[in-house]
Short mmCIF file of all heavy atoms in Angstrom, two decimals:
data_model
loop_
_atom_site.label_atom_id
_atom_site.label_comp_id
_atom_site.label_asym_id
_atom_site.label_seq_id
_atom_site.Cartn_x
_atom_site.Cartn_y
_atom_site.Cartn_z
N LEU A 203 -13.34 -42.22 -6.04
CA LEU A 203 -14.46 -43.02 -5.54
C LEU A 203 -14.95 -44.00 -6.59
O LEU A 203 -15.25 -45.16 -6.30
CB LEU A 203 -15.59 -42.10 -5.10
CG LEU A 203 -16.87 -42.78 -4.63
CD1 LEU A 203 -16.63 -43.55 -3.34
CD2 LEU A 203 -17.98 -41.76 -4.44
N TYR A 208 -11.51 -45.69 -1.68
CA TYR A 208 -12.34 -44.95 -0.75
C TYR A 208 -11.53 -44.05 0.18
O TYR A 208 -11.92 -42.90 0.44
CB TYR A 208 -13.18 -45.94 0.08
CG TYR A 208 -14.04 -46.84 -0.78
CD1 TYR A 208 -13.73 -48.18 -0.95
CD2 TYR A 208 -15.15 -46.32 -1.44
CE1 TYR A 208 -14.51 -48.99 -1.76
CE2 TYR A 208 -15.93 -47.15 -2.25
CZ TYR A 208 -15.61 -48.47 -2.40
OH TYR A 208 -16.37 -49.27 -3.21
N GLY A 233 -19.94 -35.56 2.63
CA GLY A 233 -20.99 -36.31 3.30
C GLY A 233 -21.48 -37.49 2.48
O GLY A 233 -21.73 -38.58 3.01
N PHE A 234 -21.59 -37.30 1.17
CA PHE A 234 -22.00 -38.37 0.27
C PHE A 234 -21.05 -39.55 0.34
O PHE A 234 -21.46 -40.71 0.45
CB PHE A 234 -22.09 -37.81 -1.15
CG PHE A 234 -22.28 -38.84 -2.22
CD1 PHE A 234 -23.45 -39.55 -2.30
CD2 PHE A 234 -21.27 -39.08 -3.14
CE1 PHE A 234 -23.63 -40.52 -3.30
CE2 PHE A 234 -21.44 -40.03 -4.13
CZ PHE A 234 -22.62 -40.74 -4.22
N VAL A 235 -19.75 -39.27 0.27
CA VAL A 235 -18.75 -40.35 0.30
C VAL A 235 -18.72 -41.01 1.66
O VAL A 235 -18.56 -42.24 1.77
CB VAL A 235 -17.37 -39.82 -0.11
CG1 VAL A 235 -16.33 -40.91 -0.02
CG2 VAL A 235 -17.41 -39.27 -1.53
N LEU A 236 -18.88 -40.25 2.72
CA LEU A 236 -18.94 -40.83 4.06
C LEU A 236 -20.12 -41.80 4.20
O LEU A 236 -20.02 -42.83 4.85
CB LEU A 236 -19.01 -39.73 5.12
CG LEU A 236 -17.71 -38.97 5.39
CD1 LEU A 236 -17.98 -37.69 6.18
CD2 LEU A 236 -16.69 -39.86 6.11
N LEU A 237 -21.24 -41.44 3.57
CA LEU A 237 -22.38 -42.35 3.56
C LEU A 237 -22.05 -43.65 2.86
O LEU A 237 -22.38 -44.76 3.33
CB LEU A 237 -23.59 -41.69 2.90
CG LEU A 237 -24.59 -40.95 3.78
CD1 LEU A 237 -25.71 -40.40 2.90
CD2 LEU A 237 -25.15 -41.86 4.84
N ILE A 238 -21.39 -43.55 1.71
CA ILE A 238 -21.01 -44.75 0.97
C ILE A 238 -20.04 -45.61 1.79
O ILE A 238 -20.09 -46.84 1.75
CB ILE A 238 -20.36 -44.34 -0.38
CG1 ILE A 238 -21.41 -43.73 -1.29
CG2 ILE A 238 -19.69 -45.54 -1.05
CD1 ILE A 238 -20.87 -43.23 -2.61
N CYS A 239 -19.19 -44.94 2.57
CA CYS A 239 -18.22 -45.65 3.40
C CYS A 239 -18.81 -46.09 4.74
O CYS A 239 -18.07 -46.45 5.64
CB CYS A 239 -17.01 -44.76 3.64
SG CYS A 239 -16.07 -44.41 2.14
N LYS A 240 -20.16 -46.04 4.85
CA LYS A 240 -20.87 -46.56 6.03
C LYS A 240 -20.46 -45.83 7.31
O LYS A 240 -20.26 -46.45 8.35
CB LYS A 240 -20.63 -48.07 6.16
CG LYS A 240 -21.06 -48.86 4.93
CD LYS A 240 -20.83 -50.33 5.08
CE LYS A 240 -21.23 -51.07 3.81
NZ LYS A 240 -21.01 -52.53 3.91
N ARG A 241 -20.39 -44.53 7.20
CA ARG A 241 -20.11 -43.69 8.38
C ARG A 241 -21.21 -42.63 8.48
O ARG A 241 -20.98 -41.45 8.23
CB ARG A 241 -18.74 -43.07 8.26
CG ARG A 241 -17.60 -44.08 8.26
CD ARG A 241 -16.26 -43.44 8.00
NE ARG A 241 -15.92 -42.42 8.98
CZ ARG A 241 -14.84 -41.64 8.91
NH1 ARG A 241 -13.99 -41.79 7.90
NH2 ARG A 241 -14.59 -40.73 9.84
N ALA A 245 -21.16 -38.50 8.22
CA ALA A 245 -21.84 -37.96 7.04
C ALA A 245 -22.89 -36.94 7.44
O ALA A 245 -23.00 -35.89 6.82
CB ALA A 245 -22.48 -39.10 6.26
N ARG A 272 -30.21 -44.49 8.66
CA ARG A 272 -29.20 -45.47 9.07
C ARG A 272 -28.87 -45.36 10.56
O ARG A 272 -28.44 -46.34 11.18
CB ARG A 272 -27.95 -45.30 8.23
CG ARG A 272 -28.18 -45.67 6.77
CD ARG A 272 -26.92 -45.53 5.94
NE ARG A 272 -27.20 -45.84 4.53
CZ ARG A 272 -26.30 -45.77 3.56
NH1 ARG A 272 -25.04 -45.41 3.85
NH2 ARG A 272 -26.63 -46.06 2.32
N THR A 368 -24.14 -50.91 -8.21
CA THR A 368 -23.42 -50.00 -7.33
C THR A 368 -22.59 -50.80 -6.33
O THR A 368 -23.12 -51.63 -5.61
CB THR A 368 -24.42 -49.11 -6.58
OG1 THR A 368 -25.19 -48.40 -7.53
CG2 THR A 368 -23.69 -48.12 -5.68
N ASN A 369 -21.29 -50.54 -6.31
CA ASN A 369 -20.42 -51.26 -5.42
C ASN A 369 -20.13 -50.43 -4.18
O ASN A 369 -19.83 -49.26 -4.27
CB ASN A 369 -19.09 -51.58 -6.13
CG ASN A 369 -19.30 -52.52 -7.29
OD1 ASN A 369 -19.63 -53.68 -7.08
ND2 ASN A 369 -19.10 -52.05 -8.50
N THR A 370 -20.24 -51.04 -3.02
CA THR A 370 -19.92 -50.37 -1.78
C THR A 370 -18.80 -51.12 -1.08
O THR A 370 -18.59 -52.31 -1.32
CB THR A 370 -21.15 -50.33 -0.86
OG1 THR A 370 -21.62 -51.66 -0.65
CG2 THR A 370 -22.27 -49.51 -1.48
N PRO A 371 -18.07 -50.47 -0.18
CA PRO A 371 -16.97 -51.14 0.49
C PRO A 371 -17.47 -52.25 1.39
O PRO A 371 -18.58 -52.21 1.90
CB PRO A 371 -16.35 -50.01 1.33
CG PRO A 371 -17.03 -48.76 0.94
CD PRO A 371 -18.24 -49.10 0.19
N PHE A 376 -13.66 -50.67 6.80
CA PHE A 376 -13.73 -49.45 7.58
C PHE A 376 -14.06 -49.76 9.03
O PHE A 376 -14.77 -50.73 9.33
CB PHE A 376 -14.83 -48.51 7.01
CG PHE A 376 -14.53 -48.06 5.63
CD1 PHE A 376 -15.06 -48.73 4.55
CD2 PHE A 376 -13.70 -46.98 5.40
CE1 PHE A 376 -14.78 -48.34 3.26
CE2 PHE A 376 -13.41 -46.57 4.11
CZ PHE A 376 -13.95 -47.26 3.06
#
Side-chain angles (χ1 to χ4, degrees):
L203 176 67
Y208 303 107
F234 170 67
V235 177
L236 285 166
L237 267 181
I238 292 177
C239 295
K240 303 181 182 179
R241 296 174 59 185
R272 293 181 182 178
T368 301
N369 294 292
T370 56
F376 297 95

